[in-house]
């Protein structure tokens, strides 16, 4: 039994000495290398030297430069090459290794050492200064005193020019970009770094701001005129011209402190709108069936704005601050609103060709010869864009020396209309020049009956030579 115990003691002693030797040996080994369980920037470094780790970290690390974002979202880059950027992890590795205790390597058996180290950076400071000074947002050389705050007139209305907000503090911006380079950061946002500031305002500038707030409310008109397929906003570009100014160009105010309107300002706007969109008697370009584009002037067809009703509406709506799309009131309405008011359903009377056509939704439905007014007797049918304003059957047409019965009568301008003519055996050609009508559009009965049944009151009638 004693011999067994003695034998076990010897074995235990040898094991203890071996473990101690191993522990000491590893401590000595780790004295010039990273201890067990060391991970640096994701690289396993146990037992490796500073130079070995530095070489591998250098392979993994890349830096192309810094991208600088200004307040407008524009981005500009200072490349690493431009500023002779260089990096090295050796110094950081030396510091970290000194912090490790090789005699305590056994602690790593119960948990590793994971760290992130940044390289030591060097660059050409003069080159950096040159690159930074060349950035677009550094080109504004105005002093704080030179930065304006004023109201200006533009084609879009009155606008506020405020150069005293979001002013870049250049030196602060330079510091932020420099810090990004030294930290090897690839991007820096100047707004996020707080590089923009507002300048102090003078008493006069504060008064200008108060005036602008009032002017902005005045110009914020939400009325939109719907003119057919077009929409005409009564926006700042319009209402800015309504404000009365004195001889020095300063705003005039009424007794309640509001802006004084020019005399007849709203009336003039409505009149201008009517001059542009009233089409009764207007000159129109028309694509004829014969192939050419003809100019047709005059006639009774078209839209005509009720100017008095619109002046009353706009005055009330503007002062009430209404925001709406508004279709004007008309004293006369065409089938379509706007300047292109004929549409795709119409009667075309080509008096030069002595032909009449009826289109329905753009499809030619009737094609017939006709006889129009006698030009040799100065009774030629007048040109113009008119419309069917009535439909009658079994009508007696009377004149100074005639009374003619027609089965179908569709007047288009005064006593001039489209009708059948049983007394005629032929239509078309040059008959109208010597044996034409008193001004009406004589039409073969079969075509006239078809037209009478299909065409509605209000249908446009384009008449030209």
């Amino acid at each position: 039994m004693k011999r067994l115990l003695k034998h076990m003691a010897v074995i235990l002693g040898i094991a203890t000495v071996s473990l101690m030797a191993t522990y000491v040996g590893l401590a000595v080994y780790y004295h010039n290398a990273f201890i067990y369980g060391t991970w640096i920037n994701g690289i396993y470094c146990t037992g490796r030297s500073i130079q070995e780790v530095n070489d591998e970290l250098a392979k993994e690390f890349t830096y192309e430069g810094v991208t600088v974002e200004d307040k407008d979202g524009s981005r500009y880059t200072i490349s690493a090459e431009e500023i002779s950027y260089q990096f090295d992890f050796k110094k950081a590795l030396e510091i970290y290794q000194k912090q490790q205790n090789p005699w305590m390597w056994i602690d790593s058996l119960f948990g590793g050492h994971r760290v992130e180290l940044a390289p030591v950076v060097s660059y050409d400071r003069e080159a950096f200064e040159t690159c930074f000074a060349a950035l677009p947002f550094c080109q504004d050389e105005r002093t704080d005193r030179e930065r304006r705050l004023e109201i200006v007139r533009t084609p879009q209305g009155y606008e506020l020019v405020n150069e005293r907000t979001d002013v870049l503090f250049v030196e602060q911006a330079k510091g932020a970009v420099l810090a990004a380079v030294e930290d090897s950061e690839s991007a820096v946002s100047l707004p996020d770094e707080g590089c923009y500031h507002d300048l102090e305002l003078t008493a006069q500038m504060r008064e200008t701001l108060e005036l602008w707030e009032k002017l902005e409310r005045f110009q914020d008109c939400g009325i939109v005129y719907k003119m057919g397929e077009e929409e005409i906003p009564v926006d700042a570009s319009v209402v800015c011209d309504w404000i009365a100014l004195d001889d020095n160009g300063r705003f005039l105010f009424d007794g309640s402190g509001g802006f004084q309107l020019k005399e007849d300002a709203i009336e003039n706007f409505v009149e201008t709108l009517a001059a542009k969109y009233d089409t009764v008697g207007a000159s129109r370009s028309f694509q004829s069936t014969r192939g050419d584009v003809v100019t047709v002037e005059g006639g009774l067809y078209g839209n005509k704005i009720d100017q008095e009703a619109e002046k009353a509406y706009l005055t009330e709506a503007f002062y009430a601050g209404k925001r709406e799309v508004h279709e004007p009131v008309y004293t006369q309405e065409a089938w379509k609103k706007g300047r292109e008011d004929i549409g795709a359903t119409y009667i075309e009377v080509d008096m030069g060709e002595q032909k009449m056509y009826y289109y329905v939704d753009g499809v030619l439905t009737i094609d017939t010869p006709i006889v129009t007014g006698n030009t040799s007797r100065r009774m030629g049918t007048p040109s113009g864009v008119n419309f069917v304003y009535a439909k009658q059957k079994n009508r007696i047409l009377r004149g100074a020396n005639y009374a003619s019965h027609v089965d179908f009568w569709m007047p288009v301008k005064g006593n001039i209309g489209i009708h059948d003519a049983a007394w005629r055996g032929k239509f078309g050609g040059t008959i109208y020049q010597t044996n034409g009508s008193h001004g009406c559009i004589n039409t073969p009965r079969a075509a006239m009956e078809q037209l009478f049944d299909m065409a509605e009151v209000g249908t446009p009638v384009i008449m030209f030579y």
Side-chain angles (χ1 to χ4, degrees):
M1 184 68 177
K2 288 182 179 181
R3 180 179 290 183
L4 178 61
L5 291 174
K6 184 178 180 180
H7 183 69
M8 291 180 62
V10 171
I11 294 173
L12 181 60
I14 292 172
T16 301
V17 170
S18 298
L19 287 173
M20 291 179 63
T22 301
Y23 186 88
V24 172
L26 286 175
V28 172
Y29 173 73
Y30 290 137
H31 186 76
N32 293 315
F34 293 99
I35 64 176
Y36 180 82
T38 299
W39 292 79
I40 300 176
N41 295 3
I43 295 175
Y44 186 62
C45 303
T46 298
R48 303 173 72 177
S49 68
I50 289 175
Q51 187 60 51
E52 289 175 333
V53 175
N54 183 60
D55 291 343
E56 187 161 353
L57 289 176
K59 291 178 183 178
E60 298 293 328
F61 184 82
T62 58
Y63 185 69
E64 297 180 356
V66 60
T67 298
V68 185
E69 182 178 15
D70 65 12
K71 67 177 181 180
D72 300 320
S74 299
R75 294 179 173 85
Y76 311 96
T77 299
I78 298 176
S79 71
E81 183 179 3
E82 288 177 304
I83 60 175
S84 301
Y85 173 93
Q86 295 181 344
F87 64 92
D88 191 3
F89 286 90
K90 186 174 294 185
K91 187 66 176 178
L93 291 171
E94 290 174 351
I95 294 173
Y96 180 66
Q97 190 185 53
K98 288 180 180 179
Q99 294 173 352
Q100 289 189 328
N101 186 348
W103 294 100
M104 299 301 294
W105 63 266
I106 196 169
D107 288 347
S108 300
L109 294 175
F110 308 102
H113 300 274
R114 295 181 179 272
V115 294
E116 294 290 328
L117 298 181
V120 174
V121 171
S122 64
Y123 56 92
D124 186 331
R125 180 59 182 265
E126 185 175 342
F128 171 83
E129 294 279 353
T130 301
C131 291
F132 181 81
L135 296 176
F137 51 74
C138 292
Q139 307 312 305
D140 189 348
E141 298 180 352
R142 291 172 296 175
T143 65
D144 291 352
R145 185 182 296 274
E146 292 172 332
R147 294 183 179 276
R148 301 179 299 159
L149 193 156
E150 60 186 19
I151 297 170
V152 297
R153 176 72 166 82
T154 73
Q156 292 74 42
Y158 287 105
E159 295 182 358
L160 178 69
V161 175
N162 188 354
E163 299 172 346
R164 303 186 68 81
T165 60
D166 287 338
V167 178
L168 178 67
F169 281 24
V170 177
E171 288 303 315
Q172 185 178 352
K174 185 194 297 182
V177 177
L178 193 61
V181 171
E182 292 177 346
D183 291 339
S184 301
E185 295 179 357
S186 61
V188 59
S189 169
L190 298 183
D192 291 346
E193 295 295 328
C195 297
Y196 292 91
H197 304 269
D198 295 343
L199 302 179
E200 290 188 17
L201 303 181
T202 65
Q204 183 178 355
M205 290 176 179
R206 286 192 289 272
E207 290 179 1
T208 300
L209 277 180
E210 291 177 2
L211 176 61
W212 168 247
E213 290 175 0
K214 181 183 293 186
L215 185 58
E216 192 174 27
R217 289 193 297 272
F218 179 89
Q219 290 188 140
D220 184 24
C221 181
I223 300 167
V224 177
Y225 266 87
K226 185 171 180 59
M227 311 300 296
E229 296 180 356
E230 295 183 66
E231 290 189 346
I232 310 300
V234 187
D235 56 16
S237 66
V238 174
V239 302
C240 68
D241 287 331
W242 296 359
I243 305 175
L245 306 175
D246 64 16
D247 294 337
N248 295 316
R250 292 188 294 262
F251 298 116
L252 293 176
F253 299 91
D254 57 26
S256 61
F259 291 104
Q260 182 176 321
L261 265 62
K262 292 178 182 177
E263 186 176 356
D264 300 331
I266 292 179
E267 289 84 348
N268 290 337
F269 172 79
V270 173
E271 290 170 4
T272 300
L273 194 70
K276 185 176 182 179
Y277 289 97
D278 279 359
T279 56
V280 177
S283 176
R284 296 174 174 85
S285 293
F286 176 76
Q287 178 64 56
S288 69
T289 301
R290 69 192 185 200
D292 60 339
V293 176
V294 297
T295 300
V296 186
E297 299 181 353
L300 304 177
Y301 178 80
N303 296 296
K304 191 174 183 61
I305 294 174
D306 186 336
Q307 294 190 33
E308 292 305 314
E310 287 311 305
K311 291 171 186 178
Y313 160 78
L314 188 53
T315 300
E316 188 276 332
F318 176 72
Y319 282 111
K322 290 186 177 180
R323 310 186 72 84
E324 60 188 13
V325 176
H326 171 73
E327 185 170 315
V329 177
Y330 294 91
T331 58
Q332 179 178 323
E333 295 185 63
W335 274 18
K336 287 189 65 179
K337 305 300 187 299
R339 288 177 288 187
E340 302 296 329
D341 59 353
I342 291 176
T345 298
Y346 56 86
I347 298 169
E348 176 184 348
V349 180
D350 185 339
M351 295 177 288
E353 297 290 328
Q354 290 292 285
K355 296 276 286 186
M356 182 171 69
Y357 311 96
Y358 178 52
Y359 285 86
V360 178
D361 294 330
V363 178
L364 179 60
T365 304
I366 297 175
D367 178 347
T368 180
I370 55 174
V371 176
T372 58
N374 191 326
T375 55
S376 65
R377 297 178 61 185
R378 297 183 179 181
M379 293 181 180
T381 305
S383 298
V385 179
N386 299 295
F387 64 97
V388 176
Y389 64 85
K391 292 171 65 175
Q392 291 181 314
K393 291 183 178 181
N394 297 318
R395 172 74 183 266
I396 302 296
L397 304 180
R398 301 182 185 278
N401 55 1
Y402 70 90
S404 301
H405 174 271
V406 297
D407 291 334
F408 305 101
W409 167 244
M410 292 169 53
V412 297
K413 183 179 181 181
N415 293 326
I416 296 174
I418 307 171
H419 62 78
D420 55 297
W423 56 89
R424 289 192 182 277
K426 292 183 179 180
F427 295 85
T430 59
I431 297 172
Y432 76 103
Q433 295 177 358
T434 56
N435 189 27
S437 70
H438 293 86
C440 286
I441 301 159
N442 293 176
T443 307
R445 189 185 188 286
M448 188 63 217
E449 182 177 11
Q450 185 182 8
L451 181 65
F452 187 90
D453 289 340
M454 296 181 69
E456 300 178 17
V457 172
T459 301
V461 183
I462 303 96
M463 305 157 63
F464 59 89
Y465 286 89

